[in-house]
Amino acid sequence: LLRTTFIILLFVNSFSHADKQDIQLWSQLITQTRLEANSSLYLYTEVQPRFGDNASEMERLLIRPAIAYAVNEKVKLYLGYA
């Protein structure tokens, strides 16, 4: 039985360092799935779409994949792209 964990976080940033005001929306989706049942290997993926121009256009999309190894129930080691 494979178990997948989803975490969605939303951040709204209304601070602007330029002369015009711009509301930005940064959201985040995190998934973590075992590669096989009863395996110590996990696939970790983090996706961050970032919207600007008063949250009307996607300005940036960050994708961060990784492989994790569970040393024990409390410790995991990750190797991935950041």
Side-chain angles (χ1 to χ4, degrees):
L1 185 67
L2 297 178
R3 190 179 110 200
T4 303
T5 303
F6 291 98
I7 300 173
I8 299 174
L9 303 172
L10 295 176
F11 299 98
V12 176
N13 181 2
S14 61
F15 299 104
S16 178
H17 298 289
D19 290 334
K20 70 173 193 167
Q21 280 192 335
D22 182 19
I23 296 175
Q24 297 185 359
L25 174 66
W26 293 16
S27 59
Q28 185 174 30
L29 172 66
I30 299 172
T31 64
Q32 182 171 279
T33 306
R34 281 185 193 246
L35 291 180
E36 295 179 4
N38 298 323
S39 172
S40 295
L41 293 176
Y42 291 81
L43 176 63
Y44 172 89
T45 307
E46 183 177 321
V47 179
Q48 294 183 20
R50 297 181 177 184
F51 296 89
D53 195 19
N54 291 322
S56 65
E57 294 182 15
M58 186 164 50
E59 292 182 344
R60 191 171 293 129
L61 178 64
L62 303 176
I63 300 172
R64 295 184 177 127
I67 296 288
Y69 174 74
V71 177
N72 57 41
E73 290 183 18
K74 295 183 179 183
V75 177
K76 288 183 188 160
L77 301 175
Y78 291 86
L79 176 65
Y81 177 77

